[in-house]
């Protein structure tokens, strides 16, 4: 089940069927037209992060129509998929006396402990049923190493182990990256900051209304500040043209 570190998976290699999802949102700026060198990263729109899931994000399902509308415009689309093994060390259940949302020290630093979620091959790890999955999508799986979590779609939480996404995007000439999905204050934040700071893409844009937040104490504020410091642009889908003109 574990892909090689430097491997970007096709849908067939991931065991995922392409499909047409729910109707796309009408909120997307009609004048927004991606250009060659643009890519869309759809982060962790999986059942366990949707209300009713193991690590539910309030309003998580509401990102789906906006993500679907964005995908209709982009030629290059990558899904990240949280892909944990049972007993992953980021799970509170793996630490005696710990509860979900407590923190602990890992060799790479502070780690929030989560409910068991997105376990490989379970329904919770699957993409939300209303999410469109175009056949051109590539999939990057993260968090499959038992002893290290992965928020960013580019690097594991040790900040050095690559997922293969950076190399893939640069090999196909990507220069500008747009990010949507779940959750704003964790995986979207760290993906966007890595794209700008560590990977050096020319521009990185988070589509804010295509995200929702976990909302632990201080995490949204930290995400806002971290992305601002990194030079990541944050804009709603309806104002992308104006936001990009100001970059």
């Amino acid at each position: 089940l574990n892909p090689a570190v430097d491997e970007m998976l096709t849908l067939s290699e991931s065991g995922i069927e392409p499909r047409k999802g729910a109707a796309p949102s009408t909120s997307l700026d009609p004048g927004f037209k991606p250009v060659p060198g643009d890519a869309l990263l759809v982060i962790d729109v999986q059942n366990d992060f949707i209300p009713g899931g193991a690590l539910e994000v309030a309003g998580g399902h509401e990102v789906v129509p906006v993500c679907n509308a964005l995908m209709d415009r982009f030629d290059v689309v990558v899904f990240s998929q949280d892909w944990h093994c049972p007993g992953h060390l980021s799970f509170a259940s793996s630490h005696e006396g710990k509860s979900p949302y407590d923190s602990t020290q890992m060799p790479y630093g502070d780690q929030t402990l989560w409910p068991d979620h997105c376990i490989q091959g379970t329904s919770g790890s699957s993409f939300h049923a209303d999410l469109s999955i175009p056949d051109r999508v590539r999939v990057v799986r993260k968090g499959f190493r038992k002893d290290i979590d992965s928020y960013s779609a580019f690097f594991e939480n040790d900040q050095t182990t690559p997922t293969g996404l950076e190399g893939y995007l640069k090999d196909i000439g990507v220069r500008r990256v747009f990010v949507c999905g779940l959750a704003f204050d964790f995986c979207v934040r760290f993906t966007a900051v890595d794209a700008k700071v560590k990977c050096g893409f020319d521009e990185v844009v988070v589509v804010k209304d295509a995200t929702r937040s976990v909302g632990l104490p201080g995490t949204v504020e930290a995400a806002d500040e971290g992305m601002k410091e990194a030079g990541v642009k944050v804009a709603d889908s309806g104002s992308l043209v104006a936001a990009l003109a100001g970059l």
Side-chain angles (χ1 to χ4, degrees):
L1 289 174
N2 291 354
V5 173
D6 60 352
E7 184 177 24
M8 295 294 302
L9 301 174
T10 64
L11 290 184
S12 61
E13 289 167 342
S14 307
I16 297 169
E17 293 293 328
R19 66 179 181 225
K20 186 173 179 62
S25 169
T26 58
S27 68
L28 186 55
D29 191 332
F32 172 61
K33 294 179 174 59
V35 298
D38 286 352
L40 178 68
L41 308 184
V42 182
I43 305 299
D44 297 3
V45 184
Q46 295 166 256
N47 291 327
D48 270 344
F49 298 125
I50 303 297
L55 206 175
E56 59 184 351
V57 174
H61 59 294
E62 296 167 355
V63 310
V64 171
V66 189
C67 292
N68 287 349
L70 287 163
M71 282 189 274
D72 283 346
R73 305 274 180 100
F74 281 83
D75 290 333
V76 177
V77 181
V78 177
F79 286 5
S80 72
Q81 187 176 25
D82 227 24
W83 196 245
H84 295 310
C85 58
H88 195 274
L89 291 186
S90 71
F91 296 166
S93 62
S94 298
H95 301 266
E96 188 174 354
K98 293 287 189 178
S99 300
Y101 311 110
D102 287 349
S103 63
T104 193
Q105 284 296 309
M106 301 285 264
Y108 51 82
D110 193 56
Q111 170 69 50
T112 300
L113 296 176
W114 304 105
D116 292 22
H117 66 281
C118 295
I119 294 173
Q120 298 172 11
T122 64
S123 60
S125 70
S126 297
F127 295 114
H128 188 277
D130 290 338
L131 186 70
S132 292
I133 306 180
D135 57 10
R136 65 186 178 280
V137 163
R138 294 295 183 268
V139 178
V140 57
R141 286 175 169 162
K142 60 188 182 67
F144 56 80
R145 295 175 180 83
K146 184 175 183 177
D147 58 352
I148 184 168
D149 204 5
S150 183
Y151 297 153
S152 170
F154 289 100
F155 295 94
E156 307 275 68
N157 283 7
D158 63 359
Q159 300 296 306
T160 58
T161 304
T163 62
L165 178 57
E166 178 184 8
Y168 171 76
L169 293 178
K170 289 182 174 178
D171 282 350
I172 61 173
V174 168
R175 297 180 301 277
R176 190 166 66 166
V177 174
F178 295 76
V179 188
C180 61
L182 301 170
F184 174 80
D185 46 346
F186 282 92
C187 296
V188 168
R189 168 197 175 184
F190 289 101
T191 295
V193 169
D194 277 354
K196 191 73 175 77
V197 175
K198 298 187 74 172
C199 303
F201 289 103
D202 292 349
E203 304 292 353
V204 179
V205 181
V206 170
V207 185
K208 182 68 180 291
D209 57 328
T211 71
R212 293 295 185 273
S213 295
V214 174
L216 300 183
T219 57
V220 174
E221 295 82 1
D224 286 336
E225 186 61 28
M227 288 192 278
K228 182 179 179 181
E229 289 180 0
V232 172
K233 186 74 174 178
V234 180
D236 283 335
S237 62
S239 57
L240 286 171
V241 171
L244 291 167
L247 285 176

